[in-house]
Amino acid sequence: MGESDEKKVSAELAHTKIGGELSLDERVALALSVGEECITEEGLRNLLEKKPTRPICYDGFEPSGRMHIAQGVLKSINVNKLTKAGCTFKFWVADWFAQLNNKMDGDLNKIRTVGMYFIEVWKASGMDMEHVEFLWASDEINKKSGEYWTLVMDIARKNNLLRVKRCSQIMGRAESDEMSAAQIFYPCMQCADIFFLKADICQLGMDQRKVNMLAREYCDLTKPKIKNKPIILSHHMMPGLKQGQEKMSKSDPDSAIFMEDTEQEVRRKIKKAFCPEKIVEGNPCLDYTRSIVFPKLGKVTVQRKEEFGGDVVYETYEQLEKEFVEGQLHPGDLKAALASCINEILQPVRDHFEQNDEAKKILAKVGSIKLHDEALEVPKWNDEHPDQANGGIVW
């Protein structure tokens, strides 16, 4: 066997190890299960089939305030699927972006503290860290400032102001909002991140779709054109708990389940949640069951008295939805089961911040941060009266 043949065989063997024992079809299906939308499926298959090294997925997050379960649990589920499919996942800890968006009053030290808190939550939430990297935007940009800012300026030069403003949704802003010059600059930077990180797959929420499309458009504007456009794999935006809320809101604590919520808080919020009888569309309780509980736990156990049908274990979401629509599963019973499942999922996070010394220190720092003139709510343990600690917030 010649040297070139040996290299070819070696490359083929290395490629077969990416994704472990999964076939190409299985890897593609697993990756697609992450997204509500994929642009494009053909591009994704081609990437997974032909790239000789692990494809790079990316998501960026502003360290700002509390983390809800869509950021915490749903993200860990999606990351685990993609690393199992053979990808490396890069988290872009967007501290400078949070500063541009005036989070924590622009205090970078506070922003970095919350960023460390987010990372600790993910560690405790079951995210497989073997092929996961956390990169701080300020550190990485400073290392290669010439490369980064050249990209940003080129993207800004090739797009008009109207096109950039259409991306304002990525910051939680409307096009009509009055924005600072820094916030206008933000989409150009986020677009540059994709190329700076050499990301093959943009794995962000549907609310980030416009800037991801800006990146694909940019590929056609460069000379020469960039052939391998980033794949957009946009995950579903989980709704708020109240009627008509398209997404969870950090500004409305009762619209979301947060990663540090107590068992009592979870039960209270789910009990109040919108859950119309026999209706699937716009039902957040069914959405949480489908998006979080079944992927994480694999089943849902409903406990009820014999006169109401007795206990039942649902092995698939489809089975649960069918019985809910037929009226065999009452909203009250679904809510009770959902609250129990979410508490089971959150308990390792509570334990981590109670038992891990480093996590405790970070949590204490987060607790001292003022956000909009109010301290971030973090749990404090009260041994004598645990149900009264920190206004009812306990681990």
Side-chain angles (χ1 to χ4, degrees):
M1 183 181 290
E3 185 178 345
S4 61
D5 292 329
E6 287 179 359
K7 286 182 178 179
K8 184 177 180 182
V9 171
S10 177
E12 287 175 351
L13 287 172
H15 193 262
T16 58
K17 292 178 183 177
I18 298 173
E21 301 299 319
L22 299 180
S23 67
L24 175 62
D25 285 344
E26 288 170 330
R27 291 173 65 202
V28 172
L30 189 58
L32 286 174
S33 72
V34 166
E36 182 173 296
E37 178 184 65
C38 179
I39 304 174
T40 64
E41 290 188 26
E42 181 184 356
L44 177 65
R45 173 174 284 276
N46 188 56
L47 172 70
L48 295 179
E49 180 180 16
K50 296 183 178 177
K51 188 171 183 181
T53 56
R54 299 182 71 90
I56 294 171
C57 301
Y58 127 90
D59 188 4
F61 69 93
E62 286 186 8
S64 57
R66 307 167 72 186
M67 180 187 281
H68 52 58
I69 58 172
Q71 283 181 299
V73 180
L74 182 62
K75 186 82 260 179
S76 69
I77 291 168
N78 289 343
V79 168
N80 288 350
K81 285 180 177 180
L82 288 166
T83 55
K84 186 177 179 180
C87 300
T88 291
F89 207 103
K90 291 186 178 182
F91 277 100
W92 191 235
V93 190
D95 50 354
W96 270 359
F97 291 76
Q99 191 175 39
L100 280 174
N101 209 11
N102 203 33
K103 299 297 175 67
M104 308 290 173
D105 295 322
D107 187 321
L108 197 59
N109 289 328
K110 292 178 180 178
I111 290 166
R112 288 181 74 96
T113 297
V114 176
M116 289 188 288
Y117 167 67
F118 274 34
I119 293 170
E120 287 298 319
V121 172
W122 278 317
K123 286 179 181 177
S125 65
M127 186 181 289
D128 183 350
M129 295 293 175
E130 186 178 357
H131 296 290
V132 174
E133 300 174 29
F134 291 96
L135 302 171
W136 292 84
S138 57
D139 293 342
E140 299 303 315
I141 292 170
N142 279 331
K143 287 177 190 175
K144 299 180 180 178
S145 57
E147 177 185 341
Y148 184 80
W149 293 114
T150 298
L151 258 173
V152 173
M153 289 190 292
D154 195 49
I155 290 164
R157 250 182 359 99
K158 288 180 167 61
N159 288 279
N160 61 38
L161 186 59
L162 186 62
R163 177 65 184 90
V164 171
K165 284 191 72 174
R166 285 208 302 270
C167 295
S168 58
Q169 181 188 12
I170 66 174
M171 299 176 287
R173 315 280 177 179
E175 286 182 53
S176 57
D177 287 354
E178 184 176 341
M179 290 182 281
S180 67
Q183 289 166 329
I184 295 294
F185 212 48
Y186 187 119
C188 298
M189 290 175 64
Q190 184 169 328
C191 182
D193 294 342
I194 296 164
F195 302 100
F196 184 67
L197 294 171
K198 297 177 172 55
D200 300 299
I201 299 172
C202 302
Q203 204 294 282
L204 298 89
M206 286 293 293
D207 60 338
Q208 304 294 304
R209 184 182 189 278
K210 288 181 180 178
V211 76
N212 291 332
M213 288 303 297
L214 184 70
R216 286 180 63 90
E217 292 166 12
Y218 174 71
C219 292
D220 291 328
L221 298 175
T222 60
K223 293 182 180 180
K225 292 182 179 181
I226 299 172
K227 287 180 61 178
N228 295 321
K229 295 181 180 181
I231 307 302
I232 302 175
L233 194 58
S234 304
H235 63 252
H236 167 63
M237 299 300 294
M238 291 186 62
L241 291 169
K242 297 180 179 180
Q243 183 175 2
Q245 289 183 321
E246 293 184 359
K247 59 186 284 189
M248 295 184 187
S249 171
K250 291 183 181 181
S251 61
D252 181 359
D254 279 349
S255 79
I257 303 295
F258 293 97
M259 296 299 290
E260 75 273 12
D261 277 349
T262 65
E263 289 187 31
Q264 296 91 337
E265 278 289 290
V266 170
R267 285 196 292 268
R268 181 185 67 79
K269 290 180 180 182
I270 296 296
K271 187 175 182 180
K272 291 171 58 180
F274 180 63
C275 188
E277 191 171 359
K278 300 182 182 180
I279 303 297
V280 174
E281 188 174 355
N283 189 325
C285 293
L286 286 175
D287 199 315
Y288 288 26
T289 304
R290 180 182 66 248
S291 301
I292 286 184
V293 175
F294 275 101
K296 194 72 176 174
L297 301 179
K299 65 179 181 180
V300 172
T301 300
V302 174
Q303 295 179 322
R304 56 193 179 187
K305 295 178 180 180
E306 286 298 328
E307 59 261 40
F308 299 121
D311 295 353
V312 61
V313 178
Y314 294 102
E315 302 286 351
T316 67
Y317 170 75
E318 289 73 20
Q319 178 193 7
L320 182 146
E321 182 188 289
K322 179 176 182 293
E323 294 204 358
F324 183 83
V325 171
E326 291 173 350
Q328 297 179 51
L329 176 60
H330 189 271
D333 294 324
L334 172 62
K335 287 182 177 185
L338 176 59
S340 295
C341 289
I342 289 177
N343 275 320
E344 181 180 344
I345 291 166
L346 294 184
Q347 192 56 47
V349 180
R350 298 175 184 137
D351 292 342
H352 180 68
F353 282 97
E354 179 62 28
Q355 299 166 9
N356 183 284
D357 289 339
E358 186 60 31
K360 273 186 182 179
K361 290 177 185 177
I362 293 171
L363 187 64
K365 288 182 181 179
V366 171
S368 68
I369 291 174
K370 299 287 184 179
L371 179 65
H372 301 305
D373 299 322
E374 292 184 6
L376 286 174
E377 288 189 82
V378 295
K380 294 178 183 176
W381 186 258
N382 182 324
D383 290 322
E384 191 173 345
H385 299 289
D387 58 330
Q388 298 173 17
N390 200 34
I393 294 184
V394 294
W395 288 119

